[in-house]
Amino acid sequence: MMVGTCGTSAAVPPPPSNPSDAQLNAGRAAADTKAGEVGRLANRLAEAEARLSDLDSEVELKQEQANKAMVDLQAAQDAAAQAEDAAAAARREADAATGRVELARHDLDRFIAASYQQGSQVGSVSAYLGSPSPRDLLARQQLLTSITSGQLTALHRMQQAQVDKANADAAARAALQTAQQKRSAAARAQRDADAARAAAEQARTDQAARTAVLTADKDRAEQQLFTAQQQVAGLSGQRQRYEDWLARKQLEDDTAAGHVALTSGGSRPASSAIERVIARAMSQVGVPYAWGGGNAGGPTLGIRDGGVADTFGDYRKVGFDCSGLMMYAFAGVASLPHYSGYQYTAGRHVPLAQMSRGDMLFWGQQGDIYHVALYLGDGMMVEAPESGLSVRVTPVRYGDIMPNATRLLG
């Protein structure tokens, strides 16, 4: 008797407090309220992540608009430079035409002067080019009589030079006008580029400010989520611990009496099953992560994914991925598929604020599950995290966490 009493009292500590049903009902009502708050916080987090993504897209758009404006600016500047070169060339041609006119005029004046010295009645070329009075017509006739074919060529050359000069002046004016238009276009492009760059910089500034606000909101929401989970655990956690104490005490008493207590259905109490699941998961802490690895029998060789896992050599490692670890932990209690999305629907969903030891926690985006871990209580979990790491115990992460936990036991 003494041995039995000492063994039982040493194995099972004094009972924890056992709240009343009224207290439990009040606690559950508070838990439901907090669960609603947690849902709203989760929505805020999703909206914050979506807004951050939109801001990234807006900045990228502004940057591309700035790039377009810079290309347009360079094209306008090149066109203006070409137009100015054309205007300068036209100006040089007009200057050359002016020189040719002056040379032709000089040749003609020399001819007129020589004719006058030889007694010609023609006083100047104006007699030939002037008004058609009888006196001028007579002078024109005398000029035509006295001018040789070579001298007529000089006269025609002067006339052609005057035409060429007029054409060159017109071309220079047109080229100058084009250059001015191109310079105006370049100035507009410069303003557009400056405005686009300013818009992009402002968008970056706005994004930084909004990101800081949204990140702070996200941090606060995660803290509130954790606080809510801790608060709603309260009385329900106390009742669970009391029931666990009763189960352990019954098991110890039955063991001391020489047999293992069984329930009417022939299975272990739920709390014992939960502890066995957790013990199996905890026994694998330190085992490498291997994508595609693990099953109900333990760690297995990973498989190729054609991407990140291959770069870490997961296909050469013996270990677990996240869902493989859950298969091993629940082996003998529940048969789970090797896919976290199906594991999410394998049991009863409970609000995240009411999660308890032995529940599976899930993470996802837009309804697609990408990770699973086993909740240990007190804000801690055990998981097979990712390539390059090992099975570990770590605080619960609340970013992307699904609003419900999955409960297979209890």
Side-chain angles (χ1 to χ4, degrees):
M1 183 180 297
M2 288 178 62
V3 172
T5 303
C6 292
T8 302
S9 61
V12 180
S17 60
N18 181 25
S20 67
D21 289 342
Q23 290 174 315
L24 283 172
N25 290 335
R28 291 190 183 100
D32 291 341
T33 300
K34 286 296 181 183
E37 294 178 7
V38 168
R40 288 190 292 273
L41 291 173
N43 289 335
R44 285 180 55 197
L45 288 176
E47 291 173 359
E49 295 292 347
R51 184 54 186 151
L52 286 175
S53 178
D54 291 343
L55 287 171
D56 288 338
S57 299
E58 289 177 13
V59 170
E60 289 177 5
L61 175 60
K62 293 297 184 183
Q63 288 173 332
E64 282 305 300
Q65 290 174 341
N67 290 338
K68 175 182 180 297
M70 290 301 296
V71 172
D72 293 344
L73 169 61
Q74 188 60 53
Q77 289 175 335
D78 291 344
Q82 292 174 0
E84 289 171 351
D85 290 343
R91 185 70 265 165
R92 289 192 296 272
E93 181 60 29
D95 292 342
T98 299
R100 290 192 294 271
V101 168
E102 292 302 322
L103 180 61
R105 187 186 302 279
H106 179 68
D107 290 344
L108 189 56
D109 286 344
R110 281 194 304 168
F111 161 69
I112 294 172
S115 298
Y116 181 77
Q117 290 172 357
Q118 294 172 5
S120 172
Q121 296 300 314
V122 181
S124 71
V125 73
S126 63
Y128 177 66
L129 302 176
S131 63
S133 65
R135 179 184 180 87
D136 289 338
L137 289 174
L138 178 60
R140 182 181 301 177
Q141 183 61 41
Q142 291 173 342
L143 177 63
L144 292 174
T145 300
S146 60
I147 290 176
T148 65
S149 60
Q151 292 163 340
L152 283 174
T153 299
L155 180 62
H156 291 159
R157 189 168 63 247
M158 187 197 77
Q159 292 173 331
Q160 185 61 48
Q162 289 175 325
V163 172
D164 291 344
K165 178 182 181 302
N167 290 339
D169 285 340
R173 286 192 298 271
L176 180 60
Q177 183 178 9
T178 299
Q180 291 171 341
Q181 292 172 347
K182 295 296 184 181
R183 279 196 297 270
S184 297
R188 287 193 300 271
Q190 178 71 65
R191 290 192 296 271
D192 291 343
D194 291 343
R197 281 197 300 270
E201 292 300 327
Q202 186 62 48
R204 289 193 193 97
T205 301
D206 292 345
Q207 182 192 30
R210 294 174 187 175
T211 299
V213 172
L214 291 172
T215 300
D217 287 346
K218 180 179 178 181
D219 291 343
R220 283 194 296 271
E222 289 184 352
Q223 183 58 46
Q224 291 171 19
L225 182 64
F226 179 75
T227 300
Q229 181 268 322
Q230 293 299 313
Q231 290 173 346
V232 298
L235 297 176
S236 297
Q238 291 179 27
R239 170 62 69 87
Q240 184 65 51
R241 286 192 294 272
Y242 179 77
E243 292 176 351
D244 290 347
W245 177 85
L246 284 178
R248 286 197 301 272
K249 186 176 185 304
Q250 182 65 47
L251 182 61
E252 182 67 19
D253 290 344
D254 290 344
T255 300
H259 67 278
V260 178
L262 299 177
T263 64
S264 59
S267 62
R268 285 183 179 271
S271 60
S272 297
I274 290 171
E275 294 307 317
R276 188 176 66 180
V277 167
I278 290 175
R280 286 175 65 86
M282 292 295 291
S283 70
Q284 302 304 305
V285 170
V287 173
Y289 178 95
W291 188 78
N295 57 29
T300 65
L301 193 65
I303 62 177
R304 290 183 177 273
D305 74 337
V308 174
D310 287 359
T311 65
F312 281 91
D314 285 14
Y315 58 91
R316 297 192 298 268
K317 298 176 181 178
V318 174
F320 292 97
D321 63 9
C322 63
S323 54
L325 180 62
M326 297 300 104
M327 293 175 69
Y328 177 76
F330 283 92
V333 175
S335 177
L336 293 176
H338 201 156
Y339 171 51
S340 58
Y342 292 152
Q343 291 179 359
Y344 183 61
T345 59
R348 179 167 60 92
H349 283 174
V350 296
L352 195 62
Q354 298 176 13
M355 62 185 177
S356 64
R357 185 172 169 85
D359 290 345
M360 287 190 292
L361 307 179
F362 294 85
W363 288 259
Q365 288 184 346
Q366 298 178 346
D368 293 327
I369 305 297
Y370 64 77
H371 188 59
V372 58
L374 184 65
Y375 185 56
L376 302 177
D378 296 327
M380 302 298 290
M381 65 184 185
V382 58
E383 65 172 351
E386 60 183 327
S387 296
L389 299 176
S390 301
V391 177
R392 67 185 183 184
V393 175
T394 185
V396 174
R397 297 182 300 275
Y398 291 99
D400 282 348
I401 197 168
M402 298 299 289
N404 294 313
T406 296
R407 182 169 296 169
L408 296 180
L409 302 172

